[in-house]
Every structure is written in C-alpha cells, then in structure tokens.
Amino acid sequence: MATLVPPATTAPPPPSPDSKPAEPEKVDYMDLPCPIPYEEIHRESFMSLKPELFEGLRFDFTKGLNQRFSLSHSVFMGPTEVPSQSAEVIKIPTAHYEFGANFIDPKMMLFGRILTDGRLNARVKCDLSENLTLKANAQLTNEPHMSHGMANFDYKGSDFRTQLQLGNGALFGASYIQSVTPHLALGGEVFWAGQHRKSGIGYAARYNTDKMVATGQVASTGMVALSYVQKVSEKVSLASDFMYNYMSRDVTASLGYDYILRQCRLRGKIDSNGCTAAFLEERLNMGLNFILSAEVRIDTYCFFFFFFFFFQLILCQPPQAIEQSTGF
Amino acid sequence: MASRVALKTKSKGAKGGAKPADERSAVKCLKEWSTWTIKKAKVITHYGFIPMVIIIGMSSEPRPSISQLLSPI
C-alpha cells in the first residue's frame, strides 16, 4: 500500500565537526589569507605537468655535516642542448662533476654549485625582517658577457604580496598580488629589460578551493596561460594546461596526472605537440632516491630516457646522542 | 631676428656648454666606477662564494671537524 511520504521536514543530519557548514560563512574582508607569490601562481600545474625531464645518467651524493650544512657531489653524463640558429636541436654529449655546498638556516639559505668547466650557480635567500625577504641567484661563468644575476625583494603583507626584481642587463620587474576573497587572488606585474629594449605588463588570477585550483595569466608579450588542477583524492591529482601566444599563434595544451604515494611519486603527461612523458621518483631506502624519466616526442621522433640515483648520507647525530656518547 | 636668435642660442650654448661637459664627465665617471665595482664583485663572488658557504657552515653549531669536510664518505 502506498503511503504518502511527508515532505522532508526533518532537519538535515547535523554536520560532523570536520565538515564545513552548509551555509556560506560570513567573509571577513579584513582578514583574508595571504596569497601565494606571483611567480608561483601556476605552482600546482607546474609541479604536475612539468617534471624535470632529463636525458642521460646522473648520480648525486649529499653528505650532511650537521643539521644545517651539507656538501654535495654530483656526476652527470649525457647530451646537453646547445643553442643553435636553425630549428634543429643540436646535442653534444657532455660529462661533468659538480661540487656543492648548502647552508640552510631558518633565516638564511645559501646554496652554491660549481662545475668542472668553471660555472658557478649561487642562490641566497635571506629574511631581512619578518615580512621582507631577499632572494638572489647568479650563474657566473668565465666567458665574458655570459653571466647572469638577479635579486628579488619580497614583501609579504597580511593579504598581499609584492616583489621587486633587479637583474643584470638593466632588468627591472615588479609584481603585486592581492587576496580579493578567501578563494580568489588577483595580481599584476610589470617588467623592463633595458638591454633588449623590451617592456611588458601582465595580469593573473587564481581561484582555489581545497579540491581545485584554477589560474589564468595574460601578458603583453603575447602569452595567455590557463591551468586547472583537480585534487581527486589525497594521493591523486589531475592537471590540465593551455598556453597560447597570440603574437606567434602558438598553442599548446597538455593533460597530466600526479600520483603521490607513500614511497614514490608518479607523474605523467600528454601534450598537443605529440609529446608523452612519464616521471617516477622512488625512495628505495632511507636516504636513497631513484628517478626514472622517459619522454617520447612524436613530432621530432626523439626519445629520451633518464636514470638518476640520489644518495643522501646524514652523518650528524642529534645533540642528545652526542651528549650521551661523550658523557658531557 | 634670425641673427638675434642665433646670438641668443650661441650665448646659451656657451654657458650651457660647460655644464653638460661637467655633468657628462660625472656621469661617465659614475658609470666607469660602477662597471669596475660590478666586475670586481663578479670575480669575488665567482671565487669566494663556495669558500664563504663552507666557512659559515663549519662555524655553525655543532661544529663539524676538518676530517668530515675532506673525507668523501
């Protein structure tokens, strides 16, 4: 016998303490979260879709002397791209050894790498005050006019960030990003390159929730970049990316996945240029990491495979153990 | 009229000629000095950055020993 079901007058089940309330929260516009830095606006899609694909063999060994200071030794053997005038990519097999020193402090980070051909990569990050940070990086070579250096001053406000950039070759840049709502941040940047007589302005927007991130960026250099990342679960996220240059009419779209599992991280992507790539990072043991990467480019019929062992040895003992062992 | 204008500009030019020359040499001096400083700073950074990081690291607590620095393992 059919019975009339009364309309749902019962209250919805009370929300569990962990879930968000059904009604929208009242937004306090004076207390918005601090947005992420302007240059990291595409961070999630970049991490998923652009892993560091390399070709060749690399072995890396990092030795920690204490909690903050470590030395690293790295050997690389493989082809490196040489810039050429023609559209073809010229690769020369090279091998080099790289020695590095890292010092990591809560207030200051120093990172230096020197190669066998005399090139130095240096990075400095220093907290000048609670809200002001200086970041500098330099690539110095023995060849004249081939060295580059750049310094960034970042100021972090309560709901905005601003950055001033100075580089060699009379490069000046500034960017500003502001949280407009708890989920939406809008920003802009300007740059001026004196040496190349170029200047540009760009705008960016980022909308993020716990489950997704959508970003868009437009620049006067002709670049339009849109990206969307959906976090399907704690371990899986899917990303897509669209890049269009309205000056050169160049379009690229890519789609990828990112699996972050307990002992490994697997990323893969496919491109509208016919490029398919996969990247696996696995932690084999305490301090021993292994990376396998493969890339297939159908447009140029090139295949790249890369194999990387990274071994990190931490020799320092925690302070309590030192006291116990020495008896002081 | 033209001669008056020409005279005026000539006198202006004579007065103004000394100032731009001074300014130009000051600007040139400043440019040369800054170029020299940047070149020296580049050489100092190139050779001294990694030793500076090592010195800062070796003087941080707990102090590692020289043998730890030099041994490959």
Side-chain angles (χ1 to χ4, degrees):
Chain A
M1 196 152 103
T3 52
L4 276 173
V5 177
T9 49
T10 54
S16 61
D18 293 334
S19 70
K20 291 196 180 138
E23 63 280 352
E25 288 178 7
K26 188 168 178 344
V27 173
D28 180 8
Y29 285 99
M30 292 294 123
D31 190 23
L32 294 171
C34 196
I36 64 164
Y38 189 90
E39 67 268 14
E40 289 178 27
I41 206 154
H42 297 287
R43 177 174 60 187
E44 282 82 3
S45 73
F46 205 76
M47 283 200 309
S48 298
L49 294 172
K50 291 180 174 57
E52 292 165 2
L53 301 165
F54 278 102
E55 198 180 356
L57 169 75
R58 186 164 156 193
F59 178 77
D60 212 326
F61 170 57
T62 302
K63 177 180 158 191
L65 273 75
N66 65 22
Q67 303 285 353
R68 298 178 216 171
F69 178 53
S70 58
L71 297 175
S72 83
H73 307 270
S74 169
V75 174
F76 172 72
M77 287 183 268
T80 38
E81 282 183 17
V82 168
S84 74
Q85 304 295 333
S86 65
E88 268 183 21
V89 168
I90 298 177
K91 293 198 177 191
I92 296 181
T94 51
H96 61 72
Y97 163 74
E98 194 177 289
F99 172 73
N102 315 320
F103 179 75
I104 298 172
D105 202 34
K107 288 216 162 181
M108 183 162 71
M109 187 197 89
L110 300 169
F111 177 93
R113 291 277 183 276
I114 188 139
L115 277 80
T116 40
D117 53 9
R119 274 184 291 160
L120 172 76
N121 280 339
R123 275 197 289 178
V124 174
K125 178 175 171 283
C126 183
D127 288 339
L128 300 170
S129 79
E130 203 189 305
N131 291 332
L132 185 62
T133 306
L134 162 67
K135 285 195 271 196
N137 67 56
Q139 283 98 41
L140 304 178
T141 64
N142 286 324
E143 294 162 19
H145 305 297
M146 294 290 282
S147 306
H148 304 286
M150 178 126 56
N152 298 341
F153 291 93
D154 296 333
Y155 182 78
K156 182 173 82 164
S158 59
D159 59 358
F160 69 91
R161 279 191 203 248
T162 177
Q163 183 187 80
L164 178 66
Q165 202 172 55
L166 305 166
N168 77 327
L171 176 70
F172 297 102
S175 71
Y176 179 81
I177 184 163
Q178 167 86 48
S179 274
V180 172
T181 73
H183 298 294
L184 178 66
L186 301 175
E189 66 169 346
V190 293
F191 75 88
W192 187 69
Q195 209 170 43
H196 305 282
R197 296 279 190 266
K198 272 189 187 168
S199 65
I201 189 165
Y203 304 99
R206 179 184 157 104
Y207 184 84
N208 70 323
T209 63
D210 287 340
K211 291 279 178 188
M212 55 77 94
V213 176
T215 65
Q217 189 171 14
V218 182
S220 67
T221 50
M223 177 196 71
V224 174
L226 307 170
S227 77
Y228 180 78
V229 177
Q230 173 83 35
K231 195 170 169 183
V232 172
S233 77
E234 280 297 319
K235 298 185 181 183
V236 180
S237 55
L238 301 174
S240 65
D241 182 76
F242 177 79
M243 259 220 280
Y244 173 56
N245 191 325
Y246 56 78
M247 304 277 199
S248 64
R249 306 277 182 183
D250 202 14
V251 180
T252 307
S254 53
L255 205 58
Y257 62 87
D258 190 349
Y259 278 67
I260 302 178
L261 305 172
R262 203 164 28 97
Q263 287 214 292
C264 75
R265 183 172 183 181
L266 178 62
R267 289 178 264 186
K269 73 154 195 204
I270 184 157
D271 221 323
S272 62
N273 295 332
C275 169
T276 312
F279 191 86
L280 168 72
E281 287 169 75
E282 178 140 357
R283 187 183 300 178
L284 294 178
N285 204 351
M286 177 68 190
L288 180 61
N289 289 11
F290 171 64
I291 296 180
L292 264 183
S293 128
E295 190 182 355
V296 171
R297 287 192 198 162
I298 296 175
D299 53 348
T300 54
Y301 289 102
C302 287
F303 310 97
F304 310 102
F305 299 92
F306 175 64
F307 174 85
F308 175 25
F309 252 111
F310 170 74
F311 186 56
Q312 185 171 15
L313 181 64
I314 300 173
L315 285 181
C316 56
Q317 285 176 319
Q320 300 88 3
I322 292 173
E323 281 165 17
Q324 283 166 12
S325 63
T326 56
F328 286 118
Chain B
M1 265 301 268
S3 57
R4 241 188 261 166
V5 168
L7 268 171
K8 270 191 187 160
T9 50
K10 242 192 196 170
S11 61
K12 266 193 196 157
K15 266 188 226 167
K19 267 193 198 157
D22 279 342
E23 282 171 10
R24 249 179 269 142
S25 70
V27 165
K28 211 175 164 186
C29 211
L30 186 66
K31 257 192 182 171
E32 277 176 20
W33 182 84
S34 65
T35 311
W36 178 89
T37 315
I38 289 179
K39 278 195 172 150
K40 293 294 171 205
K42 185 225 161 201
V43 172
I44 290 170
T45 311
H46 201 165
Y47 287 102
F49 186 77
I50 299 242
M52 182 192 79
V53 176
I54 290 176
I55 287 169
I56 291 176
M58 293 297 279
S59 59
S60 65
E61 295 299 326
R63 282 173 196 245
S65 62
I66 303 282
S67 59
Q68 272 186 313
L69 178 69
L70 297 174
S71 79
I73 51 151

